Amino acid sequence: MKSRTKVVVIGGGIAGCSTLYHLTQEGWSDVVLVERNELTSGTTWHSAAQVTNFGMNQTMVGLKTHSIALYKELSEDPDYPINYHHGDGGIRLANTQEQMQGYRHFASMARGIDVHFEVIDADECARRHPLISTENLVGGLWDPLDGDIDPAQLCQALARRARKAGAEVYRNTPVVGLTQHKDDTWTVHTEHGDIDCDIVVNAGGYRVNEVGAMMGVHHPVASMEHQYFLTEDIPAIAEAGHRMPLLRCPISDYYCRQEKQGLLLGFYEQDCKPWGMDGIDPNFVNALCPDDLDRVTDVLEGAFARMPALMETGIRTVVNGPITYTIDGAPLVGPIPGKRNAFCIIGLRAGLGEGGGHGWLLAQQIVHGEACYDTWCLDPRRFTGHTNVELTSLKAIEDYQNEFRFHFPHEHRPAGRPAKTTPLTPILAAEGAEFTVVNGWERADYFKPSPEFHPSLSFHFDEAFDVVANEVKAIQTGVGLAEVNGFNRIEITGADRHAFLDRLFCGTVTKRDGRVGLGYLLNHHGMVKAEATVANLPASDRGPERVWYGSAAAAEFHDIDWLRQHINADEDVQLKSLTNDQTILVLAGPKARDVLSHVSRGDWSKEAFPWLSVRECFIGFAPATVMGVSFSGELAYEIHVPNASLYAAYLALRQAGEAFGLKLFGARAVESMRMEKGFLHWKSDLLTEFDPFETGLDRFVKMQKPDFVGKPALEARQAEGLRKKFVVLEIDATHAPAHPGGSLMDDGRVVGTITSGDWGHRTSKNLAYAFVDPAYADLGCQMELDLLGSAVGATVIAPGQYDPDHSLMRG
């Protein structure tokens, strides 16, 4: 066994084998995989091994497309062919028009990455799958490349190719410990000796947290028992003359595929069962859980109704084994939060089908720092400190129960809530707040007109449209108050703080005390990595001279990791997270200054406190830090308050606001208003797939700076020209917004992809943001949006349709 290597991958299932293989494809051959038993001895060996192209966003579709292409190539290898039923086709059923709306959107989204789904009616579903009934069926989504594969053969094929490229695989080699050294390298301790390495990868399957514990971390991954059975032969299958398409049924919570001349039938029962919460038997290897078919009786009844032939066949084999879930059902593939040179590829509940793509994206991140796609939907740092075992299990149960039910816009499921709250959460609830969830935080989405108000789930504008419009109008004509909790706030101190930030930001970073600036950080490829405000606070009784770095709530772990990694050894820079200690109250509207002046001593005039100023003060008697910034486009103030004083500050503002007609507003009003201003959202519109010039951030880039992270790569990209261009669109529709991922078309060709969409209530326009081919970026350029299966007009318009010169928010 090697004593020194570049990367050690821990785990020999599909995740580990795919990562090992793809590392060699990226040019690293000095890599090792260690497996405690035999390859595929965990979840992989009993996987139903379905290989679909369906995903909820383009990143997921892209990695699945890579898996399909790779598996097809492996299956055709004359030296080591594997069993892969490629292109049997698959149908996702629907029994409501709202589900069909979703399928039409996903078909539009997939087209932008050159994947072609087909939305079909109930009769066509039955024609393509002659075993199903059309009772209570509206239609479905057809995936022509759906199929299934032999899991053991697949992993062996990947390991074989990795070995041929120079990698090594050590079976029956349990890992017993992990040690990280001062230079951030690792020692992997095994029962057969130690391996020193630069990088370690946790691909531990359902033993993920046993490996995590060795490096002092907990991963939000839980296991669920999952049952499927294999039937006896079904005559209709032999008589069909072709392989049966795969079937996934959100109506009755089951799936099936052909297995020889019978079916493999799997269940996602409501009476489901977590597994391994209190630890896993070390001898649980190539093992299964006890059968429990009583638990799936209700699901089985639905399957019988949909496929009557099942009532006339017997069960040949029952399989009940653990599969892993994360809090949102998507895997964790990328850097481990708070660790250097440590990565994970875990929580792959559909591991066999998409594992080829996951390993591909992870290998790119390890070798190059980023993948070809923006991988935030997979990033382990998208979950933060609230993700304990109990919460993870509750969400895993909920995801399991809704396996084939996609999330609708504005749908927030109830399990594991409320995970994060502030002193105002019950107060706002009593005021009628409907809450959304942001990184676990309960944030007011809008304020209901009555307790019985419950908008329907739809891809169209819902019943909250007028409610949000009224909140926007109250802000535009008077003054509104909102809580923005969970906003990422990092306090930066030390003599080198300004030089440190200047090196990270691609533009000018304000250094003046009492001033606030906005800027962007790039990765080493010159792509947009982060967006942040920088506020310079002078020394006071609340602290020394310091900078407050502020960014999106979801960026809490992401940004602090990036900042820590870029502090040089000789720099005097200290970081302290304030994210969970402070909450923002936003006061917005033309009367905002009046309210603030009535509740806080000092001169709040435009001259004394201009736009982009920051000041420490008191709101009533609550200590606060006020910034003159606006995401709404109206005169606005961000009031940062320690959570212990938050309720006092809120009461003071409400009481002072009574004389000015102050109204509460929520996140959906903010979303509408920021679209009208041309303001961008991190990980909606700000993506690592695009550089700042493609994203329209030219004014925030100063190429004359001597150096900043990503500058050499950005210079090279400038010479090559733009691949895409960010634009603002007006959509010619009043029934539905543009949804992220929607395809923009011209003459049958995809020319762009939507990133955000919403109705602008002050401009009365259906607005959207998109990245388009540069030839379609000029003002007035027209194209068509595939909006839920219908072509509607889309015209490029100027950004900042509301108050384009920013005179209102400047006061």
Side-chain angles (χ1 to χ4, degrees):
M1 199 168 72
K2 279 186 173 183
S3 60
R4 184 73 175 81
T5 190
K6 194 164 187 65
V7 182
V8 172
V9 179
I10 303 171
I14 181 59
C17 291
S18 178
T19 302
L20 189 75
Y21 165 75
H22 283 98
L23 284 169
T24 66
Q25 292 297 294
E26 296 298 328
W28 286 13
S29 58
D30 183 17
V31 292
V32 162
L33 184 150
V34 293
E35 161 57 41
R36 70 192 304 274
N37 194 262
E38 295 288 345
L39 297 185
T40 75
S41 60
T43 294
T44 300
W45 79 269
H46 61 75
S47 169
Q50 300 169 99
V51 184
T52 177
N53 229 353
F54 179 79
M56 295 290 289
N57 54 57
Q58 287 189 340
T59 296
M60 294 299 294
V61 173
L63 68 85
K64 292 181 179 187
T65 298
H66 176 84
S67 295
I68 290 170
L70 172 63
Y71 298 172
K72 191 170 188 298
E73 179 196 344
L74 292 172
S75 71
E76 295 169 350
D77 185 340
D79 296 328
Y80 193 85
I82 62 176
N83 293 322
Y84 176 28
H85 297 121
H86 171 266
D88 288 348
I91 310 173
R92 292 173 185 270
L93 302 179
N95 66 338
T96 69
Q97 290 298 335
E98 288 74 20
Q99 288 172 309
M100 295 296 285
Q101 288 175 8
Y103 289 160
R104 293 185 183 97
H105 166 65
F106 295 129
S108 174
M109 176 268 296
R111 187 179 295 114
I113 203 165
D114 200 26
V115 170
H116 300 279
F117 297 142
E118 186 181 353
V119 180
I120 57 179
D121 62 22
D123 290 339
E124 184 63 17
C125 290
R127 190 189 71 78
R128 299 187 188 191
H129 200 305
L131 296 183
I132 68 171
S133 161
T134 59
E135 183 179 356
N136 188 31
L137 187 63
V138 175
L141 184 71
W142 172 259
D143 174 3
L145 297 184
D146 219 335
D148 67 271
I149 197 164
D150 184 299
Q153 289 181 354
L154 171 60
C155 291
Q156 294 290 352
L158 291 168
R160 172 179 174 272
R161 286 199 175 186
R163 288 190 189 100
K164 288 181 68 176
E168 298 189 17
V169 176
Y170 306 138
R171 299 171 296 120
N172 299 304
T173 305
V175 174
V176 296
L178 294 167
T179 300
Q180 189 165 30
H181 307 290
K182 290 183 178 180
D183 63 356
D184 294 322
T185 62
W186 293 85
T187 296
V188 180
H189 307 283
T190 81
E191 288 188 356
H192 303 313
D194 293 349
I195 309 174
D196 294 325
C197 61
D198 296 329
I199 295 167
V200 66
V201 177
N202 184 350
Y206 52 67
R207 296 188 183 274
V208 50
N209 277 309
E210 294 178 12
V211 178
M214 296 177 192
M215 61 174 71
V217 300
H218 168 75
H219 298 287
V221 176
S223 295
M224 300 292 298
E225 288 189 16
H226 177 60
Q227 295 185 95
Y228 65 80
F229 64 62
L230 306 176
T231 73
E232 302 288 355
D233 289 355
I234 298 175
I237 291 179
E239 296 165 2
H242 61 81
R243 285 185 58 82
M244 287 292 113
L246 287 82
L247 199 69
R248 296 171 182 87
C249 182
I251 308 164
S252 301
D253 300 305
Y254 80 97
Y255 63 89
C256 72
R257 66 168 175 83
Q258 184 170 335
E259 179 69 15
K260 297 182 179 178
Q261 296 302 310
L263 291 173
L264 183 154
L265 199 71
F267 309 98
Y268 290 97
E269 70 280 6
Q270 298 303 294
D271 184 22
C272 53
K273 185 178 180 181
W275 179 85
M277 288 181 64
D278 298 316
I280 303 169
D281 185 339
N283 298 314
F284 190 88
V285 175
N286 276 319
L288 294 171
C289 309
D291 301 347
D292 190 3
L293 288 183
D294 289 343
R295 208 168 68 224
V296 301
T297 300
D298 56 336
V299 182
L300 192 55
E301 290 175 354
F304 284 161
R306 182 64 58 203
M307 304 176 71
L310 290 173
M311 291 185 282
E312 301 172 6
T313 189
I315 298 174
R316 180 159 50 88
T317 304
V318 178
V319 174
N320 184 19
I323 57 176
T324 56
Y325 279 77
T326 65
I327 284 184
D328 64 358
L332 303 176
V333 179
I336 295 175
K339 295 293 178 181
R340 300 288 293 273
N341 296 337
F343 295 81
C344 60
I345 177 168
I346 54 180
L348 276 62
R349 79 170 192 267
L352 261 294
E354 56 196 36
H358 288 309
W360 174 56
L361 294 179
L362 180 61
Q364 291 178 55
Q365 293 179 70
I366 293 171
V367 175
H368 307 295
E370 298 283 358
C372 58
Y373 303 134
D374 188 298
T375 56
W376 182 246
C377 63
L378 306 170
D379 198 303
R381 297 165 297 188
R382 69 187 190 273
F383 303 124
T384 55
H386 61 292
T387 55
N388 53 42
V389 173
E390 285 73 15
L391 177 64
T392 304
S393 296
L394 287 172
K395 296 302 289 185
I397 290 169
E398 183 179 63
D399 279 330
Y400 185 95
Q401 292 171 330
N402 291 279
E403 176 67 29
F404 298 131
R405 299 184 189 97
F406 53 78
H407 279 79
F408 281 88
H410 307 300
E411 179 185 6
H412 302 288
R413 292 173 179 167
R417 297 179 62 189
K420 295 182 185 178
T421 61
T422 74
L424 294 187
T425 306
I427 307 300
L428 298 178
E431 294 275 8
E434 179 71 22
F435 291 96
T436 184
V437 181
V438 182
N439 189 23
W441 292 96
E442 296 288 330
R443 186 179 293 180
D445 208 20
Y446 59 88
F447 288 82
K448 298 183 288 186
S450 69
E452 297 78 26
F453 183 76
H454 299 292
S456 54
L457 296 177
S458 173
F459 281 79
H460 290 179
F461 289 118
D462 64 22
E463 295 86 347
F465 185 91
D466 290 338
V467 176
V468 175
N470 289 333
E471 291 183 7
V472 171
K473 184 176 181 180
I475 299 163
Q476 182 185 14
T477 59
V479 60
L481 181 66
E483 179 191 51
V484 181
N485 48 19
F487 187 78
N488 186 37
R489 173 68 64 211
I490 301 169
E491 186 173 87
I492 306 175
T493 55
D496 297 320
R497 64 191 183 281
H498 291 306
F500 165 70
L501 289 171
D502 191 58
R503 193 174 72 251
L504 265 67
F505 281 77
C506 64
T508 302
V509 183
T510 181
K511 301 177 178 63
R512 289 171 52 198
D513 280 346
R515 297 299 291 167
V516 180
L518 176 68
Y520 294 86
L521 297 80
L522 310 183
N523 62 27
H524 294 91
H525 301 280
M527 306 301 213
V528 177
K529 184 72 174 177
E531 176 191 63
T533 56
V534 172
N536 296 290
L537 296 170
S540 70
D541 58 357
R542 300 182 192 177
E545 291 181 329
R546 59 209 183 276
V547 172
W548 274 12
Y549 171 108
S551 60
E556 180 185 353
F557 279 6
H558 175 279
D559 282 15
I560 201 163
D561 272 2
W562 187 254
L563 296 177
R564 284 171 175 162
Q565 290 166 15
H566 287 85
I567 299 174
N568 293 333
D570 60 351
E571 281 186 308
D572 178 18
V573 175
Q574 297 83 43
L575 307 179
K576 177 184 178 182
S577 176
L578 303 178
T579 300
N580 297 294
D581 302 325
Q582 301 251 346
T583 294
I584 299 173
L585 296 174
V586 172
L587 192 65
K591 298 179 182 178
R593 181 180 286 116
D594 297 323
V595 176
L596 187 59
S597 297
H598 275 70
V599 81
S600 181
R601 287 185 295 120
D603 185 354
W604 293 100
S605 66
K606 178 180 178 179
E607 294 71 27
F609 192 76
W611 182 55
L612 296 180
S613 295
V614 59
R615 176 190 295 177
E616 291 179 332
C617 65
F618 290 88
I619 301 298
F621 56 80
T625 303
V626 176
M627 299 184 194
V629 295
S630 174
F631 204 46
S632 64
E634 305 290 349
L635 175 66
Y637 304 98
E638 281 186 3
I639 303 170
H640 299 248
V641 186
N643 284 339
S645 304
L646 184 63
Y647 184 41
Y650 171 81
L651 286 178
L653 289 165
R654 288 299 304 270
Q655 291 166 4
E658 286 181 4
F660 302 96
L662 182 145
K663 303 292 184 184
L664 298 175
F665 67 95
R668 284 175 69 169
V670 175
E671 179 69 7
S672 169
M673 292 186 289
R674 72 101 181 174
M675 294 287 299
E676 293 177 304
K677 289 298 296 177
F679 295 157
L680 280 58
H681 257 172
W682 186 70
K683 293 308 178 189
S684 294
D685 317 303
L686 300 166
L687 306 168
T688 57
E689 293 178 31
F690 304 102
D691 68 38
F693 299 120
E694 292 170 326
T695 312
L697 302 174
D698 307 47
R699 67 189 184 281
F700 293 99
V701 182
K702 303 299 179 186
M703 296 301 292
Q704 63 268 34
K705 285 178 65 171
D707 188 34
F708 56 82
V709 172
K711 182 180 178 181
L714 187 58
E715 288 175 328
R717 293 184 59 79
Q718 268 191 298
E720 296 172 358
L722 302 177
R723 301 162 306 147
K724 294 286 184 179
K725 184 66 178 174
F726 183 85
V727 296
V728 179
L729 299 165
E730 182 174 0
I731 306 302
D732 186 16
T734 58
H735 66 289
H739 295 285
S743 287
L744 292 159
M745 314 288 295
D746 183 44
D747 195 24
R749 184 174 66 89
V750 176
V751 298
T753 299
I754 299 292
T755 59
S756 295
D758 206 349
W759 187 267
H761 290 285
R762 296 172 298 190
T763 57
S764 297
K765 292 182 179 180
N766 195 351
L767 300 170
Y769 295 166
F771 283 95
V772 300
D773 294 346
Y776 291 82
D778 293 338
L779 293 180
C781 188
Q782 295 184 335
M783 60 206 85
E784 290 184 329
L785 169 64
D786 179 356
L787 180 60
L788 308 180
S790 298
V792 301
T795 304
V796 178
I797 59 176
Q801 288 286 300
Y802 181 73
D803 187 34
D805 62 358
H806 305 311
S807 60
L808 294 175
M809 65 186 194
R810 293 174 186 271

